[in-house]
Amino acid sequence: MLNFYPGPSKVYPEVRQYLLDAYDEGILHAPHRSEQFVQMSRAVVGSIKRKLNIPQDYYIFFASSATECWEILIQSLTRHKSSHIYNGSFGEKWFQYAQKLRPASEGIAFGLNDPMPVSELAISPDTELICFTQNETSNGTQVTPTTILNLHNRFRDTLIAVDATSSMAGLNLKLIKADIWFASVQKCFGLPAGLAVMACSPRAIFRAKKMAERSHYNSLVPMYEKMLNYQTTHTPNVLNIYLLKRVLEDRPFIKGIEQDLTDRAQELYAFFEQFSDFQMLVENDEVRSKTVLALQASEKLVEDVKKRALHHNMRLGNGYGLWARNTFRIANFPAILDEEYEELKRFFLHYYA
């Protein structure tokens, strides 16, 4: 099965051997307070910073998912409110979840084909955390590095948190322009679901220590204190952390990965634009995602495409949220090979040209 679903997506084929190695090395029953785990955790943190171009003074944490990171950040970095800027389902869900913890939290929606309107944002002066999704998996949009820089420059005194679930480990993100970045590993990392990586700036940790929130097992201050010794507050997904270590060791640096994905995204967009029955959901190429393509068609045709693809052992991504019935999505993730996209192209040319 060729898997173009935008998460959980294809895992690197080397993961099969990594799993056998984990068993042989005793990782599957290694205590998470053991020296074996500590050394592995230390190595993973070093590889994450080196391979993903993360500032050396940022702190790395492990969680179960990006959704858990939403909770960690709201409960540990805000007392009253956060402000959420979104144009899709996952950004909006983060806002809705924040409201359950901090009812005063605010949401600011912007259009699907519009760049984030940084100069027009009316963010309350008492906002403690600005939140947005860099790559909106639900609709195939992105917030560009220039926009993030402008946001950083305009709100220098406010912490900024970025959900980079479908772009981290695929794009060379400029982490210095925000305080918190996080992602689940079942997308661009090419790993099974069940682990998230979160990077926090010294400024974010300073805020967390000042708030001193310790009411939850995943409160940020205890997480920080444990990770000073490369440990976790709870029993983590030890196997997936090991797999992350191995994947990072064997993958090239993020700059090269981003160039490959950018080139392939351009080729894929150009390919699909030749079909009259399909349209890009995102018309403005400035805000189109490089890692998730969203294609729009009639509900009948979308259903036909997905069923035919499955018959040919290809899994396409369902539409999501507002676009659930009239779109399908295609992941452009590092673990998926160029030849697999060539087979996908042959499929579309055969049935829909």
Side-chain angles (χ1 to χ4, degrees):
M1 178 70 72
L2 301 185
N3 189 5
F4 301 100
Y5 210 96
S9 193
K10 180 185 176 182
V11 300
Y12 283 109
E14 294 88 348
V15 167
R16 183 178 185 274
Q17 183 59 50
Y18 300 158
L19 289 167
L20 295 173
D21 294 343
Y23 182 90
D24 292 341
E25 294 174 27
I27 293 297
L28 301 185
H29 54 248
H32 68 289
R33 301 288 180 228
S34 67
E35 184 63 20
Q36 184 180 16
F37 175 82
V38 168
Q39 292 303 321
M40 179 178 70
S41 179
R42 185 195 304 270
V44 171
V45 169
S47 291
I48 289 171
K49 289 184 176 182
R50 186 171 62 256
K51 288 296 181 73
L52 301 187
N53 197 22
I54 295 176
Q56 287 301 308
D57 61 349
Y58 275 47
Y59 298 88
I60 304 298
F61 302 100
F62 302 120
S64 63
S65 66
T67 305
E68 185 186 10
C69 294
W70 295 351
E71 180 180 76
I72 293 169
L73 299 176
I74 299 301
Q75 69 194 16
S76 292
L77 294 177
T78 71
R79 287 192 175 92
H80 307 294
K81 68 160 55 169
S82 53
S83 289
H84 298 256
I85 313 163
Y86 60 87
N87 73 342
S89 296
F90 290 101
E92 186 175 14
K93 283 185 176 183
W94 190 2
F95 164 51
Q96 293 169 344
Y97 195 88
Q99 281 189 308
K100 295 177 182 179
L101 297 174
R102 305 287 185 262
S105 293
E106 299 175 343
I108 303 170
F110 64 100
L112 178 72
N113 283 292
D114 301 329
M116 182 191 290
V118 174
S119 62
E120 302 166 16
L121 292 174
I123 292 178
S124 301
D126 58 345
T127 291
E128 299 158 285
L129 185 68
I130 296 173
C131 306
F132 70 92
T133 302
Q134 189 277 326
N135 200 86
E136 179 55 70
T137 317
S138 69
N139 58 27
T141 58
Q142 67 162 342
V143 179
T144 66
T146 299
T147 299
I148 297 173
L149 173 61
N150 293 338
L151 187 72
H152 166 79
N153 289 338
R154 185 174 173 205
F155 299 101
R156 286 183 179 274
D157 295 333
T158 307
L159 292 180
I160 297 176
V162 186
D163 184 334
T165 291
S166 54
S167 54
M168 185 182 283
L171 301 182
N172 187 16
L173 303 166
K174 306 301 186 290
L175 273 71
I176 195 70
K177 302 307 177 186
D179 296 283
I180 306 106
W181 299 75
F182 57 90
S184 300
V185 300
Q186 71 269 20
K187 299 179 188 287
C188 287
F189 283 92
L191 291 172
L195 179 69
V197 174
M198 183 166 64
C200 295
S201 70
R203 195 168 74 140
I205 298 304
F206 179 82
R207 165 73 65 77
K209 290 163 72 173
K210 187 175 181 180
M211 279 189 57
E213 187 275 311
R214 294 176 177 270
S215 301
H216 305 84
Y217 89 93
N218 58 1
S219 296
L220 190 52
V221 171
M223 291 175 67
Y224 160 76
E225 292 171 344
K226 283 295 184 183
M227 278 302 285
L228 289 175
N229 295 314
Y230 299 96
Q231 295 187 6
T232 57
T233 56
H234 57 284
T235 306
N237 189 336
V238 176
L239 174 58
N240 228 343
I241 293 172
Y242 173 82
L243 297 177
L244 176 61
K245 172 180 176 291
R246 295 295 302 274
V247 160
L248 289 170
E249 288 172 347
D250 290 347
R251 301 276 73 78
F253 288 93
I254 192 62
K255 187 176 181 180
I257 291 176
E258 179 184 54
Q259 187 60 59
D260 290 343
L261 290 192
T262 299
D263 292 344
R264 193 162 67 188
Q266 292 174 346
E267 293 172 3
L268 288 170
Y269 279 119
F271 172 79
F272 283 109
E273 283 173 344
Q274 69 182 298
F275 295 90
S276 59
D277 291 332
F278 302 107
Q279 295 81 42
M280 295 299 163
L281 176 62
V282 183
E283 297 174 0
N284 182 357
D285 57 7
E286 179 187 348
V287 299
R288 282 179 183 167
S289 168
K290 296 178 181 179
T291 56
V292 179
L293 285 71
L295 284 87
Q296 189 173 31
S298 67
E299 291 185 19
K300 183 178 180 180
L301 183 55
V302 166
E303 196 61 31
D304 179 75
V305 169
K306 292 189 296 184
K307 285 183 178 179
R308 283 185 188 272
L310 276 178
H311 182 72
H312 288 270
N313 291 317
M314 298 180 192
R315 180 178 288 116
L316 303 177
N318 295 325
Y320 198 94
L322 295 173
W323 309 277
R325 294 183 176 275
N326 67 337
T327 65
F328 61 94
R329 295 171 296 157
I330 297 172
N332 179 28
F333 295 160
I336 308 174
L337 302 175
D338 289 342
E339 44 266 44
E340 294 175 85
Y341 288 101
E342 292 305 313
E343 188 166 341
L344 180 68
K345 290 177 183 178
R346 287 192 291 271
F347 165 78
F348 274 92
L349 288 171
H350 179 75
Y351 286 104
Y352 303 105

